[in-house]
Amino acid sequence: MIEANNPQRRSFIEIPEGSDFPIQNLPFGIFSVGDDEQRAGVALGEKVIDLSALFELGYLTSVDENVFSYPMLNPFIAMGNATTRAVRNELALLFDAENPKLREQKSDLEKVLFNQADVTMHLPVEIGDYTDFYSSKEHATNVGTMFRDPNNALLPNWLHLPVGYHGRASSIIPSGIPVRRPKGQSLPAEAENPVFGPSKLMDFELEMAFISHQGKDLGERISISEAEDYIFGMVIFNDWSARDLQKWEYVPLGPFLAKNFASSISPWIVTLDALEPYRVDGPVQEPTPLPYLQFEGKRSFDINLEAYITPENSVASKVCHSNFKFMYWNMAQQLAHHTINGCNINAGDFFASGTISGPTPDSYGSMLELAWKGTKPLKLDDGSERKFIQDHDTVTMKAYCDNGSVRMGFGEVSSKVLPAT
Ligand code: CA
């Protein structure tokens, strides 16, 4: 067992009941306080542990230099999964209720602990490259049914490889930053020519993304058995989508301006190590994939996913409850497929799952599916209806794991939609 995952451990830091950040989680992020410089932190209960300060005070010995003082996590992530594990283990022991080493140093504790309510969270990594997969069979089937042909909803390649496309890294933004409704071209129903204007069908996509460690050299591949060693951790990923723009532009090269105006992420990266106790089997894959995509053991994770819509000056309505385990293609398969041609990956690259829809209508991960292309409007708790996302709506996504022994989560990604300019 990974030392930091010990379910019996308690911290001397108070952890509120139901917190996403018990001592078994220890997710990494980048934060700042006031006008201070951005640096690396770890969430514990309602606190942020300042890793840079902790290193300078001599408490972190599993790294030789202060890789936590940078405004992004890339230098730390590039050190690989053995270092990630060592730092998490060291933090777990340092903040253990039974360990007096840091607990009794009140002046040091004041230097390394901040209230989450008092800090600003930033993009945790400098994202070099971003890939978006399309790995939920239910989502691909629903979209294929609506956009193309109900009798051939899945294209012939779908059951043989994890379909994906290269997205835009520059417009991935942290939770809390408002998203402007995009303008673009669309083809109205029955019309012969496209029109230009604000998207009328703005949507969210409920996804998770994994962040990679440093990969191999160009030309080399990462096999499926070693793939998870190259995964640092995961965040919640809202891949904002403009369905009317998408429908008109996506043939033949796939998504473009309907997707690249913004993708919002939760700020804390939960490590793959922390997710270890939540491994489950994924869906049965039939037909059997080609050998380079065949795997052993449990490669999926039981992560509950929720999406909420909050109209302006109103209450939040839960519109979806899905689970990461519904994904047909797992992360190891995605990474093995991504590098099978010799494509290289770098520390801090992003790989999104694609919309994660489950088997039931309340588990669909987008408004397109939940309101079935606008034909089944959703009733919100304040009595209003939604077919898609309206201006001034806030979309919030949450993710958590609970195996009956330890509950932990990812925090949230929450962003408001502003009118087009
Ligand atoms: Ca997507």
Side-chain angles (χ1 to χ4, degrees):
M1 185 178 69
I2 297 164
E3 177 69 40
N5 293 355
N6 180 355
Q8 309 302 331
R9 179 175 287 109
R10 296 292 171 264
S11 177
F12 58 83
I13 302 294
E14 188 191 334
I15 312 288
E17 182 74 24
S19 169
D20 278 349
F21 308 118
I23 195 166
Q24 290 81 10
N25 190 347
L26 302 174
F28 293 85
I30 292 288
F31 76 102
S32 63
V33 189
D35 294 330
D36 280 3
E37 306 219 322
Q38 297 179 22
R39 66 260 198 203
V42 158
L44 179 59
E46 293 175 331
K47 300 289 184 185
V48 176
I49 304 167
D50 183 335
L51 295 182
S52 182
L54 204 59
F55 178 88
E56 294 301 334
L57 289 167
Y59 287 102
L60 285 178
T61 57
S62 44
V63 288
D64 295 334
E65 52 173 319
N66 191 353
V67 287
F68 307 114
S69 62
Y70 298 101
M72 79 290 280
L73 290 171
N74 302 61
F76 167 56
I77 296 175
M79 299 178 85
N81 68 336
T83 301
T84 303
R85 183 167 298 180
V87 169
R88 264 185 86 250
N89 287 345
E90 216 173 355
L91 288 169
L93 294 172
L94 261 179
F95 285 88
D96 190 315
E98 306 299 319
N99 184 358
K101 184 176 177 184
L102 177 59
R103 188 188 69 200
E104 300 306 322
Q105 305 302 320
K106 301 299 179 197
S107 68
D108 286 351
L109 277 175
E110 277 176 25
K111 291 179 191 140
V112 302
L113 288 179
F114 296 90
N115 292 320
Q116 279 174 31
D118 297 335
V119 310
T120 303
M121 297 304 299
H122 304 274
L123 210 57
V125 291
E126 187 172 272
I127 306 167
D129 275 302
Y130 153 52
T131 299
D132 194 15
F133 285 97
Y134 192 54
S135 288
S136 155
K137 188 178 178 184
E138 287 83 358
H139 173 69
T141 302
N142 288 340
V143 173
T145 299
M146 280 184 273
F147 275 24
R148 286 196 324 276
D149 175 5
N151 298 313
N152 295 289
L154 288 184
L155 287 168
N157 59 4
W158 201 93
L159 291 169
H160 296 279
L161 55 85
V163 169
Y165 70 98
H166 285 118
R168 180 111 196 131
S170 65
S171 52
I172 297 177
I173 51 176
S175 177
I177 295 180
V179 173
R180 184 74 63 183
R181 179 180 298 270
K183 285 179 168 176
Q185 283 194 26
S186 61
L187 186 70
E190 319 286 321
E192 275 185 29
N193 290 304
V195 297
F196 177 84
S199 167
K200 292 189 172 75
L201 309 181
M202 187 149 169
D203 201 355
F204 61 78
E205 291 193 328
L206 176 57
E207 308 192 18
M208 304 282 298
F210 72 82
I211 294 105
S212 56
H213 285 297
Q214 189 60 36
K216 297 183 181 179
D217 290 340
L218 182 67
E220 300 199 11
R221 63 191 64 155
I222 295 171
S223 74
I224 192 154
S225 61
E226 57 192 359
E228 286 184 352
D229 292 340
Y230 290 86
I231 298 174
F232 172 66
M234 298 174 72
V235 295
I236 314 168
F237 193 94
N238 179 358
D239 189 19
W240 295 100
S241 299
R243 299 301 179 193
D244 40 356
L245 279 51
Q246 180 182 355
K247 189 168 187 211
W248 170 235
E249 75 171 5
Y250 87 105
V251 179
L253 289 184
F256 187 32
L257 304 184
K259 301 277 188 178
N260 70 3
F261 58 96
S263 301
S264 303
I265 64 165
S266 55
W268 293 108
I269 306 178
V270 175
T271 61
L272 204 63
D273 267 4
L275 292 167
E276 194 64 35
Y278 307 97
R279 279 186 187 276
V280 287
D281 287 317
V284 174
Q285 297 187 331
E286 178 61 46
T288 301
L290 288 167
Y292 80 94
L293 290 170
Q294 292 174 14
F295 61 94
E296 289 175 358
K298 297 179 191 301
R299 293 281 175 252
S300 291
F301 294 87
D302 184 358
I303 306 171
N304 293 284
L305 305 171
E306 298 174 340
Y308 298 79
I309 297 174
T310 311
E312 190 158 52
N313 302 319
S314 187
V315 294
S317 300
K318 193 203 282 193
V319 295
C320 163
H321 190 141
S322 187
N323 195 301
F324 187 71
K325 70 183 178 188
F326 294 140
M327 291 254 298
Y328 188 87
W329 297 103
N330 59 52
M331 293 184 285
Q333 290 179 310
Q334 290 170 340
L335 196 50
H337 182 67
H338 205 305
T339 61
I340 193 65
N341 63 346
C343 174
N344 53 341
I345 62 162
N346 290 304
D349 285 354
F350 259 61
F351 304 83
S353 58
T355 307
I356 303 165
S357 293
T360 56
D362 63 344
S363 64
Y364 295 165
S366 66
M367 289 301 286
L368 177 70
E369 298 162 87
L370 288 164
W372 207 257
K373 222 167 48 168
T375 61
K376 298 175 183 169
L378 288 187
K379 189 88 141 194
L380 302 187
D381 293 349
D382 65 1
S384 63
E385 288 191 341
R386 287 293 181 284
K387 296 175 178 176
F388 288 91
I389 301 303
Q390 294 184 2
D391 290 343
H392 309 294
D393 283 353
T394 296
V395 174
T396 304
M397 295 174 179
K398 301 180 185 184
Y400 65 93
C401 307
D402 191 350
N403 59 6
S405 170
V406 174
R407 182 207 183 279
M408 63 173 214
F410 287 74
E412 64 178 36
V413 51
S414 187
S415 333
K416 187 174 195 170
V417 172
L418 301 180
T421 48

